[in-house]
């Protein structure tokens, strides 16, 4: 069901489950992006993360990303699952799977999806270090939204 | 009445995830200023406001019954 | 073991097994490419495929691709498994997994790997259609090698 | 003696996956011409030759004992 292509879960993500949602006979390529909790960021050791979401809007925004991708890469099929709650090092925070007859679109649509997630999907992470904790927002990784809808930028995470 | 949802650091600063405002109509801009003052919320100038799960502009008007959420810069993924 | 990062198998590929080979605490991003057997190519219906490899050289070339990737994206870890033998529609022919602290390198190295596989790794596929069969080579998808080593081109599959 | 491995369509055309040549030394170029004539192999001009699992150039010399493979344009992935 199309409705389950986009999920916010409070339990561990099974990558295979997300991949299964995009499998089809027309596909020649499936790309997946698996976002995992990294131990070190800019010299600081992360102990664990906490993710919070505005769930109904987050699902709605994931579907909007799907609409945007269908407009640009019409032959693709997309599934995204994001986990929230407490995540330890190496735990999977997000899985994005894209299938397509040809590989170029599968790579491009996949990368577009993660960039848009980091811009418009209301999910926040709190970093817990040995010496403190902070909700991550514009002060570290992002920049404030310009007026209106956030635009695509080329940024790392 | 307008219900405002708070997330991330805003939730911790306000010590609540939800605020009820006794107003019928208010612009997004005015709402942000009002909340910043009354609840000492930081960096509200960097936050977006969602009305009924859609991003809104500063000039947009919130009406009684709308579901409003303050969306600080997101950091999912 | 580094030796098992690059494999040619005659049995179905388990995507999760390939992903596991690149998991590590430094990783914030894992990208995977899953090449599957597509039913339709340019209006022609494929019944099944047959892959053949010059196995020892294929593994050697996969390791060469790893060297090339380490030179360009030093923080990445790569694993590739290619299946040979008979494959039906939707079966997985190849899985490429790349982990990296940051996502950009994980996408770029992954796409580079599939492009290089299609250029230098001695693996061939035979298409079986309703009305015939053909070993796929320069006549359909590829171009002949120029003198010396094949170069990167931007091509679709 | 030189052992030459064939793959894909070349294997089917030659009806064998392996050819033994009774020569001591031969250039890659001469080998391709020789094989094309004797075994009616097609599109050899588009094939690469690998000596001991490394791509070789047309001018390279193959010596007795080398493992040689004819590599038509690959189509893996």
């Amino acid at each position: 069901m199309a409705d389950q292509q986009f999920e916010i879960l409070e339990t561990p993500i099974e990558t295979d489950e997300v991949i299964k949602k995009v499998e089809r006979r027309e596909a020649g390529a499936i790309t997946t992006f698996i976002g995992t909790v990294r131990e070190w960021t800019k010299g600081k050791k992360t102990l664990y993360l906490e993710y919070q979401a505005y769930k109904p809007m987050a699902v709605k925004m994931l579907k909007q990303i799907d609409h945007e991708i269908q407009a640009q890469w019409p032959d693709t099929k997309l599934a995204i699952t994001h986990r929230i709650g407490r995540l330890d090092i190496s735990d999977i925070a997000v899985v994005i799977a894209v299938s397509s007859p040809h590989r170029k679109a599968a790579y491009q649509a996949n990368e577009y999806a993660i960039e848009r997630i980091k811009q418009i999907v209301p999910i926040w992470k709190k970093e817990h270090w040995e010496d403190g904790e902070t909700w991550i927002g514009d002060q570290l990784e992002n920049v404030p939204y310009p007026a209106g809808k956030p635009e695509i930028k080329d940024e790392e995470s | 009445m307008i219900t405002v949802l708070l997330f991330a650091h805003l939730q911790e600063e306000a010590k609540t995830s939800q605020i009820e405002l006794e107003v019928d109509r208010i612009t997004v801009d005015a709402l942000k200023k009002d909340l910043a003052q009354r609840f000492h919320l930081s960096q509200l100038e960097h936050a977006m406001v969602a009305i009924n799960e859609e991003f809104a502009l500063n000039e947009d008007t919130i009406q009684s019954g709308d579901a409003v959420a303050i969306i600080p810069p997101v950091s999912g993924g």
Side-chain angles (χ1 to χ4, degrees), chain A, chain B:
Chain A
M1 279 182 288
D3 271 345
Q4 300 182 328
Q5 298 289 112
F6 305 99
E7 289 191 294
I8 309 292
L9 292 185
E10 273 146 72
T11 49
I13 303 176
E14 298 290 337
T15 303
D16 269 358
E17 301 283 307
V18 186
I19 292 173
K20 268 197 203 96
K21 293 177 187 177
V22 302
E23 284 175 357
R24 55 206 173 110
R25 296 172 74 83
E26 308 93 284
I30 299 173
T31 53
T32 69
F33 174 83
I34 303 166
T36 54
V37 178
R38 188 177 53 217
E39 187 165 27
W40 295 92
T41 297
K42 294 173 186 162
K44 249 183 143 168
K45 185 177 180 176
T46 297
L47 299 180
Y48 65 95
L49 296 184
E50 220 183 311
Y51 280 93
Q52 192 181 74
Y54 178 19
K55 265 176 104 166
M57 183 172 170
V59 171
K60 199 169 177 177
M61 289 298 116
L62 291 176
K63 288 178 184 171
Q64 184 188 311
I65 292 172
D66 187 40
H67 291 310
E68 293 173 6
I69 283 176
Q70 294 309 318
Q72 280 193 67
W73 298 279
D75 269 344
T76 55
K77 187 172 181 186
L78 176 70
I80 302 174
T81 302
H82 202 300
R83 183 177 169 191
I84 55 173
R86 178 190 161 129
L87 275 77
D88 293 310
I89 305 303
S90 288
D91 278 354
I92 297 173
V94 63
V95 174
I96 302 167
V98 177
S99 71
S100 164
H102 299 281
R103 69 179 187 278
K104 205 84 197 168
Y107 279 111
Q108 289 176 346
N110 198 302
E111 193 166 4
Y112 180 85
I114 182 65
E115 284 172 5
R116 289 300 272 163
I117 286 172
K118 289 173 176 287
Q119 290 165 352
I120 66 166
V121 179
I123 297 176
W124 301 270
K125 76 174 167 195
K126 189 179 192 175
E127 291 256 12
H128 291 259
W129 301 293
E130 280 163 322
D131 60 350
E133 54 183 51
T134 307
W135 285 101
I136 303 299
D138 57 342
Q139 73 275 38
L140 280 186
E141 297 203 348
N142 295 307
V143 296
Y145 298 130
K149 302 292 167 60
E151 297 282 310
I152 278 283
K153 287 170 289 87
D154 193 31
E155 68 187 27
E156 283 287 297
S157 144
Chain B
M1 204 181 65
I2 292 166
T3 301
V4 180
L5 301 177
L6 301 177
F7 297 95
H9 69 277
L10 300 176
Q11 198 173 89
E12 294 180 353
E13 287 169 1
K15 296 188 177 61
T16 179
S17 61
Q18 196 168 319
I19 293 169
E20 312 283 342
L21 293 181
E22 296 294 337
V23 293
D24 273 345
R25 295 170 62 88
I26 188 170
T27 65
V28 165
D29 198 43
L31 172 76
K32 283 163 83 170
K33 284 185 178 127
D34 182 46
L35 290 176
Q37 280 196 326
R38 288 168 53 201
F39 295 90
H40 308 290
L41 301 180
S42 68
Q43 302 182 47
L44 264 195
E45 67 279 13
H46 295 167
M48 294 285 285
V49 168
I51 305 176
N52 301 324
E53 300 166 15
E54 297 278 0
F55 285 111
L57 301 176
N58 276 336
E59 314 83 75
D60 288 345
T61 300
I62 301 159
Q63 306 204 356
S64 184
D66 281 343
V68 176
I70 313 296
I71 313 282
V74 302
S75 51

